Amino acid sequence: MDKQNLEYITFGGGCFWCVDSVLDLLQGVESTTSGYAGGHKENPTYEEVCTGNTGHAEVVQMAYDPRIISYEQLMEVFYFLHDPTQLNRQGNDIGTQYRSVIYYTTEAEKQKAEEALKVSEATGKYSGKYVTEITKLDKFYPAEQYHQGYYEANPTQPFCSAVVGPKVAKFKKHYGDLGMLRPELD
């Protein structure tokens, strides 16, 4: 990939292990970084974010090539990966750190995020009201190194085998059928 053409997007849809584990499977995604955003604590740790007192969400920031995968396709993936009608939770993960959120850096990104939300709502996939926040990104803090690529390094860890693994399998089936996975995964 030509790194000069890369764009970045940051969003949260529950546990960052779940989100990160599938994004790297997509054609056009150069890299992903699990981290924290949206809070008031400088350089937060995982333990601090888990308390819910920092205001940060667990997020994934990715670099992608828009010539290969579009912002709109990434938003479709975002809404596939989690339930945007669950306020401050995803499944058994409860707290503001697990909120549904899209961070933008420009007004054009904000408009695209708002449009993607409308498009997803119009599908009727989720029956409840969407609670996804669309918020300006002030600061992104990368998570500790052991969180990066966590599922790939720990597939038999209990949470990974019970929650992340089935999500990855469902994702591979759906997006493999659409031809969006890296060729070596098809």
Side-chain angles (χ1 to χ4, degrees):
M1 269 186 231
D2 181 0
K3 295 193 186 291
Q4 292 180 351
N5 290 314
L6 295 179
E7 293 184 15
Y8 296 83
I9 186 171
T10 305
F11 53 65
C15 171
F16 51 30
W17 296 346
C18 293
V19 176
D20 176 68
S21 64
V22 297
L23 296 176
D24 279 329
L25 304 175
L26 291 168
Q27 289 186 57
V29 173
E30 170 70 18
S31 65
T32 60
T33 305
S34 293
Y36 317 109
H40 53 80
K41 171 86 170 70
E42 295 277 326
N43 300 308
T45 66
Y46 180 69
E47 289 75 22
E48 291 170 329
V49 172
C50 284
T51 68
N53 295 327
T54 67
H56 288 288
E58 287 191 14
V59 298
V60 175
Q61 186 172 79
M62 81 182 89
Y64 70 98
D65 187 335
R67 297 170 305 171
I68 300 171
I69 189 165
S70 69
Y71 183 93
E72 291 76 15
Q73 287 172 307
L74 291 170
M75 287 291 95
E76 178 189 320
V77 167
F78 170 71
Y79 287 115
F80 179 87
L81 291 177
H82 78 296
D83 182 344
T85 67
Q86 291 188 345
L87 182 62
N88 298 328
R89 72 177 298 160
Q90 284 300 305
N92 291 329
D93 291 330
I94 300 171
T96 58
Q97 66 271 29
Y98 301 113
R99 65 189 177 268
S100 176
V101 60
I102 302 167
Y103 289 99
Y104 65 88
T105 57
T106 67
E107 283 301 309
E109 285 178 2
K110 179 182 179 184
Q111 290 175 353
K112 288 196 287 188
E114 290 169 344
E115 182 60 29
L117 188 143
K118 289 177 191 172
V119 166
S120 184
E121 281 181 317
T123 67
K125 178 180 177 185
Y126 300 100
S127 60
K129 180 178 175 8
Y130 277 42
V131 294
T132 302
E133 298 174 12
I134 298 174
T135 305
K136 185 161 181 60
L137 179 65
D138 291 322
K139 185 83 174 168
F140 170 78
Y141 298 97
E144 296 82 351
Q145 187 58 41
Y146 72 92
H147 289 296
Q148 308 307 325
Y150 189 85
Y151 172 71
E152 291 75 20
N154 303 281
T156 60
Q157 187 264 5
F159 181 83
C160 289
S161 59
V163 178
V164 185
K167 188 174 278 205
V168 169
K170 179 181 172 186
F171 182 83
K172 281 182 174 180
K173 169 80 173 106
H174 182 77
Y175 284 93
D177 289 349
L178 295 176
M180 292 177 62
L181 299 181
R182 294 180 185 278
E184 63 271 19
L185 299 172
D186 284 341

